[in-house]
Amino acid sequence: MHSYVFPGDIDPKIAAIGSKPFLYMRTDEFSEINKESERLLLELIHCPGGRTIIYTGSGTGAMSAVVENYVTTKKKAIVIDGGSFGHRWFDLCCYYGVDAIDFKVPFAKDIDYGLLERTVAEEKPDVFLCQHHETSSGQLFDLEKISAICHGNGVSLVVDVISSFLAEPLDMGALGIDICITSTQKGLNIPPGLSVLFFSPRLDGYTFNHKGYYWDFDDNFSNLRRGQTPFSPATILFLQLNERLRQLKGQGGEEKNIADVRHRSEVFRGLCAKYGWEIPAEVASHAITGFKVNEKEPRKVFRGLIDKYDTYIMPGSIPGFYRVSHMGLQSDAELEALAACIHEFEI
Ligand SMILES: *Cc1c(COP(=O)(O)O)cnc(C)c1O
């Protein structure tokens, strides 16, 4: 079986941790592992002097935590709504009663940065919420331009990098991002279930809100200072995360991983050209390829791949649009075989 979804095929050594006996979490050993994971995560995202919170919960849990604890301390938010993940930021703001501007960006299009700059100058939001990579379409946004607009207007920048961390170059310190969010089943390529918040040192001493018991920042920070979590952590996932981070460090760090993801995407995009599949994204991230096939019946490719080849790709929101993740392990030959199998179900 091959998987081109999230997390995709994962390293057998990481997967095997899940079947071994594991540590009790209220120990110094577990604390040391978590402190090391925090150090390695901050290195990978270039956030010297920063802090992390590692939650047992998927990425949306961490997005919710950011709104409960941080965004509600602000007067007005602006959200880049370029697809289902961007819209999730807007939904969360509505849910918690935060005044938010829904800055819509058409499917698979880049932001009109001139219009964005004028909107920020006129509306004067004090917090900016966006995705680096809008995973629903494959569109990558330009964080340098976004960061310049935020810093020019005194707006705090929060970025969901869930599907770009370790797949696209990302320097949180240089970009002056206050909070970044990621989760384990995307670029980290381990099973789903943990999400990570990265905090810039500029937020040291910040007075956060207390609007969510389970995700409370201050409670998590005070426990994490001793490498512990306030509630039962998904212990196996914490061990898999630590092993994966050590592996990344030993194998050339984020640069090597980003180069590998890029190579896979370039191979697959060559195959898209060969079979005549259009890639709608204006600026396509290497993390996934979103492409349109010539399908005669809805979901024929998706079902056919599962039924005949035990292989998963991701259906998209429009007919014939599929997404293949490049964040899992995959060889050139496997990608060639995948494309041939997709083509088989087109006709
Ligand atoms: C996967 C993903 C999320 C989180 O989704 P969950 O279902 O909570 O794991 C959030 N934002 C982006 C951009 C994503 O790709």
Side-chain angles (χ1 to χ4, degrees), residues 6 57-63 84-86 88-89 130-136 160-164 181-186 192-195 288 323 327:
F6 305 124
S58 84
T60 308
M63 291 170 79
S84 55
F85 292 107
R88 195 164 296 173
W89 274 132
C130 67
Q131 272 66 34
H132 185 192
H133 166 214
E134 173 53 65
T135 327
S136 61
D160 165 357
V161 300
I162 293 179
S163 63
S164 62
I181 307 174
T182 196
S183 62
T184 44
Q185 83 273 30
K186 305 273 169 84
L194 300 182
S195 49
I288 66 161
R323 293 165 304 150
M327 293 184 274

